[in-house]
Structure formats: structure tokens, C-alpha cells
Amino acid sequence: MYRIASSIEPAVDASDATPAPDVAAAPRSVGDVLRDSQVEAVFEELDRDLVGLAPVKQRIRDVAALLVVDRLRLALGLQAQAPSLHMSFTGNPGTGKTTVAMRMAEILHRLGYVRKGHLVAVTRDDLVGQYIGHTAPKTKEVLKKAMGGVLFIDEAYYLYKPENERDYGQEAIEILLQVMENQRDDLVVILAGYKDRMETFFRSNPGMSSRIAHHLDFPDYSHGELALIADRMLEGMSYRFAGGARETFGEYLARRIAQPHFANARSVRNALDRARLRQASRLFADRERELTETDLTTLLPEDIRASRVFAT
């Protein structure tokens, strides 16, 4: 059983001088909870910050709906069993997994499931030691920092290395399993990584698999979605494409997507950073010309076409 943090407190003994809270103040509708928690603002941030990902966003809303209903049940004195909210995020790099995890932490905090709502993002190196006796302290220290929020473990499958008898990843897994079960009302663990490797990890660790209630798959972005992401990134940096530059960037995307190690939005950001670098070099070369705001904020087609992607 767990108690969701809210403005509703248990009734006090009649002899106590402090009066009991006004029952009318208890949330009675979904709208009451949404207004009190302001959780819808987080959904708006998700829609604003992330292009596409409709199935992922809907699953996050479903989780929020469960917590809202639990809050209403508690307001009426009904029991609400603590749901398991540990999750698995699978997908290629740059598909928004960390951003969604951050928003998930906010939602859980606003709805009273966790105390702080912060995100602690780690990898294997933050949890597993290289020598006997090092892993337990490292893992417990990370868990201590994450308590009251969300622990995001990227490339979680690297915790399990059965081919190495002297590897200490299994010790970290066992500590995680214990905390995920016994303190799930104050910590949500999100495991992330490539889909096929995560499936292998769960098959090899049934105890971990049984504690993961929500599996969210993050698809690669389409060409059109990546172009929209580029527009949003440029707007956020006070840049824009000149005439023809957007089309050139679309051609760049088509070529880059077909190459190895494409990382979705991460690759888009890297490409724009390199285009800005070429723009800066171009402007720097003409030292005496007075630069206008348009000069300083506009990427030309040649700033993009100079990429080695066009040489292939």
C-alpha cells in the first residue's frame, strides 16, 4: 500500500485542538486532480519538445491516468495498491528516450508518486566496480541519489556479461532487483537500449523482466519528422535556412539516413552544429564587411552541401 502525497490528511482525534480538514477540499473529479497537479503542462512540454512518438506519448498519458484515478480513490478512502511503474525504453539513439524519462519524472512527482521528481541518468560504469567489493557501494550510492525520483540506466544490457566469470555486473543487478521491489513507491527505474539487446537481457534475467511493467518502443523518425526537428532546433538557436538551404538539408538527410551509425535527432543536431561552424568560417573570412542580423542568423545551401556526406 502507498500514500499519494496530497492536501488530504487523515482525520485527527476529537481531543486534538487541530480541526480536521474540510472534506469538500478533496478532489472529486479528474479535472480537480489535473488542476491541482498541473500535470497537463508536462504533456504540453512533451508535444512541444518531441516530434511524433504518438504511441509513446499515449502510453505516458495512460500511466498518468492510472495515477490520477488512484488519487481519487485515496480521496474517498479506498485502497490503491502501488502500481509497478518500472519501465523499459527501447529504440535507436536520438529517439527521445532521455527526454521522455525526464518528463516522466515530472509527471510522477506532480501526481505524488515520488517525492522529488528528479532524474539520475547512469550507465554501467556508474554502477559496476572493477574490483571485489567496489560494486555494491557504487550501486547503492547511485540508488541513494536517485531515491525519490527516476533512475535511468542507458544501455542496461551491459550490466550482464555472462561470458566473463569475473564480471561484477550481476551483483549490481541483484541490488537493483531488491530496491525495485521493496522501494517501488519512491523510485522508478527505467532501463534503456537497443531493442534486440534489451530482449536478450530480459530473457537472461527473468527477475528483472518480471519487474518491468511498461515496455515502450521508440521508433526511428521519418524523413519529414527529422526535417521538422531541424526547423525547431534552428528556431531555438535563432537561426534559419536561407532559400534553397532547407531543400539541401533534406537531401543531406536522405543521404545520411542511409549511412551507418545514424542517430536520429542527435545526428540532426550534429549536422546543424557543423553547418553553423561552416557559416561562421564563411563570415569570418570577410573581415571588413559589416554583418547584418540576416547574415548572422542564416544558413546558406553551401554551408550544408560542404558536408562530406555529399562526397559519397
Side-chain angles (χ1 to χ4, degrees):
M1 308 297 289
Y2 76 105
R3 183 178 184 280
I4 295 179
S6 71
S7 60
I8 308 304
E9 298 294 339
V12 297
D13 187 85
S15 61
D16 196 308
T18 304
D22 183 4
V23 176
R28 295 290 184 175
S29 69
V30 169
D32 289 341
V33 179
L34 293 178
R35 283 187 291 272
D36 179 53
S37 65
Q38 298 185 338
V39 73
E40 287 185 303
V42 185
F43 297 145
E44 294 172 0
E45 290 178 2
L46 266 177
D47 289 332
R48 183 180 66 247
D49 296 344
L50 290 176
V51 172
L53 299 179
V56 172
K57 293 174 181 177
Q58 184 56 52
R59 189 63 174 271
I60 297 302
R61 287 182 171 89
D62 291 341
V63 171
L66 173 64
L67 297 180
V68 168
V69 170
D70 276 357
R71 187 162 173 174
L72 290 170
R73 287 173 57 86
L74 286 170
L76 293 176
L78 300 173
Q79 291 185 345
Q81 184 176 358
S84 176
L85 296 180
H86 302 309
M87 303 179 181
S88 169
F89 287 1
T90 55
N92 290 323
T95 49
K97 296 186 292 295
T98 304
T99 299
V100 171
M102 291 173 62
R103 297 293 176 258
M104 191 72 244
E106 289 185 62
I107 290 170
L108 295 174
H109 177 56
R110 293 190 183 208
L111 292 176
Y113 189 83
V114 294
R115 292 176 290 112
K116 299 178 181 178
H118 62 300
L119 178 81
V120 174
V122 299
T123 62
R124 170 191 163 89
D125 290 344
D126 299 298
L127 299 169
V128 181
Q130 295 181 333
Y131 309 102
I132 294 176
H134 285 192
T135 295
K138 289 186 70 171
T139 301
K140 290 178 181 178
E141 180 62 25
V142 167
L143 288 168
K144 181 180 178 181
K145 291 179 180 178
M147 204 61 62
V150 170
L151 175 62
F152 182 83
I153 307 176
D154 199 12
E155 298 182 316
Y157 34 75
Y158 285 131
L159 290 175
Y160 184 67
K161 294 185 176 181
E163 70 281 0
N164 186 350
E165 295 181 357
R166 301 184 63 182
D167 184 72
Y168 305 111
Q170 188 61 40
E171 183 179 359
I173 291 174
E174 291 172 0
I175 295 172
L176 284 169
L177 288 173
Q178 183 178 8
V179 172
M180 289 169 68
E181 182 64 27
N182 297 337
Q183 296 177 266
R184 62 180 184 176
D185 59 344
D186 198 34
L187 177 69
V188 169
V189 175
I190 299 178
L191 309 178
Y194 290 108
K195 186 174 183 178
D196 56 343
R197 297 185 185 181
M198 289 301 296
E199 289 175 351
T200 300
F201 172 73
F202 286 133
R203 284 196 299 269
S204 302
N205 295 272
M208 184 67 76
S209 179
S210 66
R211 287 169 173 78
I212 301 296
H214 304 277
H215 293 260
L216 283 71
D217 186 43
F218 289 65
D220 288 333
Y221 290 110
S222 67
H223 183 282
E225 289 173 334
L226 291 167
L228 180 55
I229 289 171
D231 285 336
R232 290 189 178 184
M233 287 180 175
L234 284 181
E235 182 181 359
M237 297 183 289
S238 297
Y239 281 82
R240 66 181 183 86
F241 285 125
R246 179 176 285 102
E247 291 74 15
T248 303
F249 192 76
E251 185 181 348
Y252 167 89
L253 285 175
R255 292 169 176 256
R256 182 65 184 88
I257 289 171
Q259 293 182 345
H261 310 300
F262 180 70
N264 290 279
R266 194 176 303 166
S267 289
V268 169
R269 180 174 293 279
N270 291 340
L272 293 177
D273 285 344
R274 288 191 290 270
R276 290 172 55 221
L277 186 66
R278 297 185 197 104
Q279 181 232 33
S281 296
R282 173 171 53 80
L283 297 176
F284 183 80
D286 193 354
R287 301 191 180 191
E288 302 305 322
R289 183 167 71 89
E290 184 175 335
L291 299 176
T292 66
E293 180 177 333
T294 299
D295 293 324
L296 296 169
T297 60
T298 304
L299 297 180
L300 301 181
E302 54 261 41
D303 298 327
I304 300 163
R305 194 166 291 279
S307 169
R308 63 176 180 269
V309 168
F310 289 96
T312 58

